Amino acid sequence: MSPRIEVLLEEEIRAVDPSKSTFRTSRFPDYPKPIGAKGFQGIAGEYIRLVEPHTEADPNYMLLYFLCLAGNVIGRGPHVVACGDQHYANLYICAVGPTASGRKGSATGPVERVFRLMDPNWSTRIKAGGLSSGEGLVYEVRDAIRGREKEASNGRNTTYQDVEIDPGVADKRLFIRQSEFYGALQNMKRTGNNLSAMLRDSWDRGELNCMTRNNPLHASNAHISIVANITAEELRRSLTDEIDNGFANRFLWCCSRRSKFLPSGGRLFELDLAEFVARLSLVVDSARGDFRMCRDREADEVWGRDNSNTGMYAELNRDRPGLFGVVTARAAPQVLRLALIFALLDSRDQIGASHLFAAREVWRYCEESAKYTFGEALENSTANEILCALRRAQCSLTRNQILAVFHRHKSGTEIDKALHVLLTNNLAHPVPSVGSGRGRPPELWAATP
């Protein structure tokens, strides 16, 4: 928000109520500050600086895209351990921005190009769209399917033999580019759809099971990464049902907008990437293998010691309010995964302090993106809808009018709970009313100015 706008709003507030002389910006989060130099370290930052002049895409989003691609190409092997869980290099990223000026799709070509050149076989593991059901997801990384086939029949005796019905998929890496994430979120709302559960399992463990009666599927060691695009309006409208189950906080939310105007389209395809591709190939080859990445001594000090409330781990686990707090609840594991990828791209066998700082800087951008996108939204979806209705009305509403917002499909208990949430967060308050003399006066509520 520009200083001039703040001054104008300050003057307007003083004219209405002179006692309110200080403009409060806490409910109007600023657009996230760009990722700093710490985040653009190593070979990832080098490549983004190389191609950034030739594209209108957001360099912050391109960096996250590069890290996601690198983690997928490396595969399911290197991991870090946190609270007994193994975290691998697969990331889920969602770019949030306007349909045209967000330039979310513009990041695809410049970033994918170098990985396609480096590993043509991996290119076949890129799937554009297709997030519609859990069964479809498991099928893309399925194990071999075996069954029994009649071998011979001799009167009363029949013999069977085990045969391979489906060879399955040998390469368990899968990179999903979901340009229309809104459609996938809508699919999750269908009765019986298990896509949300499968995506959560693939982020956590990589062991997927689809126990349909006619065609059961199993996938082991699945290494699935996702980059999705959506507008802020679609996201807020469609994600309500997927908040409480932890689906949303497995994603890194990333604001994306046009970085510049290039009427001629830049000179990306004139760049000679042969030397860079060769170096990246050596880095990726050295990163493959099933091993645990630990932090070195300096990184341990930065991360924090056991039974201590200081360090990066304690800071990442601080309480965050409302819906913003829910979608960023996995801050520590997300930073560890990012640090793992930074260390692997640095050809190190341990996570250093610089990798943690780089990961923390990238997470800072994602955290601010989530705050900018979800703002003051609350976990209680009913409370959010009531608040929107009160603000649209620009006046107080009776309880009956509030019930009408939901076509009277909400119980009195749900309305009471939602109003209590709004009151507790100082977002709405009851308004004194005067009755007509017949019975109790109506209950009125208004949004806090």
Side-chain angles (χ1 to χ4, degrees):
M1 187 174 296
S2 70
R4 174 170 172 74
I5 293 177
E6 289 196 22
V7 170
L8 291 174
L9 287 174
E10 174 77 6
E11 292 173 353
E12 181 181 351
I13 291 172
R14 285 179 179 174
V16 176
D17 186 351
S19 66
K20 297 178 180 179
S21 58
T22 302
F23 179 64
R24 296 176 62 191
T25 59
S26 60
R27 294 185 188 174
F28 304 92
D30 293 328
Y31 195 85
K33 180 183 175 182
I35 297 173
K38 287 182 181 178
F40 284 93
Q41 71 152 270
I43 198 168
E46 179 185 345
Y47 184 72
I48 301 305
R49 288 190 293 271
L50 177 66
V51 301
E52 187 272 335
H54 303 284
T55 175
E56 294 183 355
D58 190 320
N60 304 288
Y61 177 36
M62 285 199 295
L63 175 62
L64 277 156
Y65 205 120
F66 187 100
L67 296 173
C68 187
L69 284 170
N72 191 260
V73 170
I74 290 170
R76 195 170 190 83
H79 58 274
V80 290
V81 175
C83 298
D85 296 324
Q86 293 183 354
H87 291 276
Y88 293 83
N90 59 312
L91 302 175
Y92 291 178
I93 295 170
C94 185
V96 184
T99 301
S101 61
R103 283 297 183 264
K104 302 182 291 292
S106 300
T108 302
V111 182
E112 284 186 15
R113 183 185 177 198
V114 66
F115 288 97
R116 288 178 179 272
L117 291 171
M118 183 196 70
D119 190 348
N121 291 330
W122 170 82
S123 300
T124 63
R125 303 303 298 148
I126 300 176
K127 302 296 178 182
L131 283 179
S132 58
S133 68
E135 292 84 357
L137 183 70
V138 180
Y139 185 80
E140 292 293 342
V141 287
R142 67 194 182 278
D143 292 341
I145 301 174
R146 302 192 65 84
R148 300 186 71 195
E149 185 180 82
K150 184 184 293 186
E151 185 178 32
S153 179
N154 183 17
R156 298 179 180 179
N157 297 322
T158 302
T159 58
Y160 295 86
Q161 61 177 346
D162 289 334
V163 296
E164 186 177 75
I165 300 173
D166 185 336
V169 177
D171 192 342
K172 298 295 183 174
R173 299 174 299 176
L174 179 64
F175 181 82
I176 299 174
R177 191 195 323 119
Q178 188 74 22
S179 58
E180 296 295 337
F181 196 38
Y182 178 74
L185 292 174
Q186 293 302 105
N187 288 332
M188 294 177 193
K189 297 179 181 180
R190 297 203 311 261
T191 302
N193 189 288
N194 60 354
L195 177 59
S196 175
M198 290 298 177
L199 288 175
R200 281 178 276 141
D201 285 344
S202 71
W203 192 91
D204 293 341
R205 293 179 293 276
E207 296 291 324
L208 307 178
N209 288 289
C210 181
M211 303 306 294
T212 56
R213 182 169 59 183
N214 296 324
N215 190 24
L217 294 172
H218 176 75
S220 57
N221 295 316
H223 191 69
I224 300 174
S225 305
I226 300 173
V227 169
N229 298 337
I230 198 169
T231 66
E233 294 76 15
E234 289 175 334
L235 178 61
R236 286 190 288 263
R237 188 168 67 245
S238 60
L239 194 59
T240 305
D241 297 336
E242 297 302 324
I243 292 298
D244 294 334
N245 62 19
F247 172 83
N249 55 43
R250 286 170 172 83
F251 276 82
L252 294 167
W253 304 100
C254 171
C255 284
S256 175
R257 62 183 178 185
R258 188 200 307 266
S259 61
K260 66 184 75 67
F261 288 92
L262 294 176
S264 300
R267 296 290 184 268
L268 179 63
F269 291 96
E270 293 181 3
L271 296 178
D272 184 2
L273 298 178
E275 187 270 339
F276 187 91
V277 168
R279 283 197 292 124
L280 182 61
S281 180
L282 291 175
V283 168
V284 170
D285 286 343
S286 68
R288 287 176 174 149
D290 187 4
F291 57 91
R292 175 183 174 182
M293 287 280 281
C294 298
R295 296 180 296 272
D296 63 21
R297 182 175 300 178
E298 184 182 10
D300 266 338
E301 292 295 331
V302 171
W303 189 246
R305 297 294 186 180
D306 291 345
N307 301 315
S308 171
N309 60 354
T310 61
M312 190 180 291
Y313 178 79
E315 186 268 331
L316 290 169
N317 280 283
R318 74 186 188 280
D319 290 333
R320 300 170 178 84
L323 189 55
F324 160 68
V326 177
V327 301
T328 56
R330 279 184 166 81
Q334 295 282 19
V335 168
L336 279 180
R337 290 191 180 208
L338 288 166
L340 169 65
I341 296 173
F342 273 114
L344 293 172
L345 290 178
D346 211 12
S347 297
R348 300 294 180 87
D349 57 2
Q350 286 185 312
I351 295 174
S354 63
H355 307 131
L356 283 178
F357 286 129
R360 180 64 183 88
E361 176 62 12
V362 172
W363 168 255
R364 192 268 310 160
Y365 184 82
C366 295
E367 185 178 54
E368 291 183 10
S369 294
K371 191 170 188 178
Y372 180 81
T373 301
F374 296 99
E376 65 183 7
L378 304 163
E379 295 180 57
N380 188 306
S381 59
T382 303
N384 286 324
E385 292 190 53
I386 293 175
L387 181 59
C388 289
L390 292 173
R391 288 178 172 170
R392 284 196 302 266
Q394 297 183 351
C395 63
S396 56
L397 297 179
T398 67
R399 192 180 181 87
N400 279 335
Q401 289 172 323
I402 292 173
L403 279 168
V405 172
F406 304 97
H407 306 287
R408 299 189 176 275
H409 291 160
K410 295 287 183 181
S411 67
T413 302
E414 289 176 293
I415 298 297
D416 286 338
K417 183 177 179 180
L419 290 173
H420 177 72
V421 169
L422 292 174
L423 181 63
T424 303
N425 287 274
N426 195 30
L427 296 172
H429 59 277
V431 178
S433 61
V434 179
S436 60
R438 299 179 181 178
R440 191 171 57 183
E443 181 183 348
L444 292 173
W445 284 80
T448 300

